Amino acid sequence: MANVIFYILAIIVLACGFMVVTRKNAINAALYLVVAMAAIAGLFAQLGSLFIAALQVIVYAGAIIVLFLFVIMMLNLKRDEFGFDSRLFQRLFGLILGIIFIIQLILIVSRFRPGLPAQAIDPAMGNAAAMSKKLFMQYLYPFEIVSVLLLAALIGAVVMASKRKDR
Amino acid sequence: MAPLANYLVLAAILFALGVWGVLRNRNALIIFMCIELMLNAVNLTFMGFSAYLNDYSGQVFVFLIMAVAAAEVAVGLAIIVSIFRHKENVNVDEINVMKW
């Protein structure tokens, strides 16, 4: 049963990922990306961590895609500016390099032999309380640094996107 | 859960799709979306190992990666908006002043 759900979600993720890559229209790509993100959230939930799954939906499918759509709306590209035909050699080399890359990755994964035996999932796994204990005790400094990074990104985005009057 | 190898292979294929998209597309917005795909593939690997090893550290890293991805998208899209104001275009082939 778990395998069936995994395969269904995996097919959705890969199909939508493929559509994101091959769409010319940025809005279509963004909407396919939402479906891919939601399916990945489903995979996370299937792994037992509901907190991260909820976070995936809120942050990616919610915030990030909305940001993308807002920017697409703001740029107000004309219809013929939506899709750019990449040059043939770019497509060709992109495809060839992608295939080489995937072969390498699958070779690495197939050589991987996990040293530890598979353990049954702890029923408490994905429990937000257990994760936040780890986050706020062992990983407190990375957490604080990441919050400063978010603040810096916020200020940077405002500075860069605002119109400069001195020019 | 499905075997760990399934998650790793899925994440590898998704990452390669993202790489392909970055190489193939010329629209800066779609390139950004493909970078998001790659970040998600990495997250998937982290989550797979986290569940497999029964360790929450992987989930903490996924949390941090999500925060960094949000910051990256905010700054990146601001750069794209700024470039669009100057050049009226988001085709990366025409944004080549920094190349030389």
Side-chain angles (χ1 to χ4, degrees), chain A residues 3-153:
Chain A
N3 269 328
V4 174
I5 296 173
F6 172 85
Y7 284 121
I8 292 171
L9 288 172
I11 288 168
I12 293 174
V13 169
L14 292 181
C16 291
F18 182 79
M19 295 303 262
V20 170
V21 171
T22 52
R23 287 311 88 182
K24 264 169 120 187
N25 187 328
I27 290 182
N28 289 355
L31 293 179
Y32 277 112
L33 193 60
V34 179
V35 182
M37 298 297 179
I40 289 173
L43 283 172
F44 289 172
Q46 198 215 357
L47 279 171
S49 41
L50 299 177
F51 176 64
I52 296 289
L55 216 58
Q56 171 88 6
V57 172
I58 293 168
V59 174
Y60 273 111
I64 290 183
I65 301 294
V66 169
L67 201 59
F68 267 114
L69 291 176
F70 257 102
V71 169
I72 293 169
M73 185 191 77
M74 260 175 66
L75 295 189
N76 198 13
L77 295 171
K78 291 175 199 71
R79 188 163 278 277
D80 54 325
E81 286 174 340
F82 252 133
F84 314 108
D85 273 324
S86 39
R87 291 163 203 161
L88 184 65
F89 76 90
Q90 286 172 335
R91 288 175 182 228
L92 205 63
F93 278 105
L95 192 61
I96 292 170
L97 289 175
I99 289 170
I100 292 172
F101 195 69
I102 202 167
I103 291 170
Q104 286 179 334
L105 280 178
I106 288 180
L107 274 179
I108 291 169
V109 170
S110 65
R111 296 247 177 111
F112 168 72
R113 294 278 174 276
L116 291 157
Q119 297 166 332
I121 299 179
D122 178 2
M125 184 80 170
N127 183 349
M131 201 206 107
S132 24
K133 207 174 214 170
K134 193 120 188 164
L135 182 62
F136 290 116
M137 295 179 82
Q138 193 181 343
Y139 293 102
L140 181 62
Y141 288 119
F143 176 78
E144 295 293 340
I145 292 167
V146 125
S147 58
V148 174
L149 177 75
L150 270 179
L151 180 66

Side-chain angles (χ1 to χ4, degrees), chain B:
Chain B
M1 83 185 256
L4 175 63
N6 284 6
Y7 289 93
L8 296 185
V9 170
L10 173 62
I13 296 172
L14 195 61
F15 195 95
L17 265 178
V19 172
W20 178 39
V22 169
L23 294 173
R24 179 186 193 279
N25 282 298
R26 299 293 98 196
N27 187 335
L29 287 163
I30 296 182
I31 289 179
F32 255 94
M33 290 177 205
C34 294
I35 292 174
E36 293 305 311
L37 272 187
M38 288 194 270
L39 282 168
N40 267 277
V42 173
N43 278 354
L44 201 60
T45 313
F46 266 119
M47 292 298 287
F49 273 111
S50 168
Y52 178 77
L53 299 173
N54 226 346
D55 187 347
Y56 291 100
S57 299
Q59 302 191 14
V60 173
F61 273 96
V62 169
F63 181 85
L64 298 178
I65 289 171
M66 279 182 186
V68 173
E72 173 244 330
V73 164
V75 174
L77 290 178
I79 292 173
I80 290 177
V81 168
S82 176
I83 287 174
F84 184 77
R85 285 224 179 87
H86 283 281
K87 306 197 69 148
E88 296 283 315
N89 204 344
V90 287
N91 186 341
V92 290
D93 276 341
E94 306 195 356
I95 305 165
N96 51 10
V97 182
M98 296 282 273
K99 268 204 276 191
W100 42 69

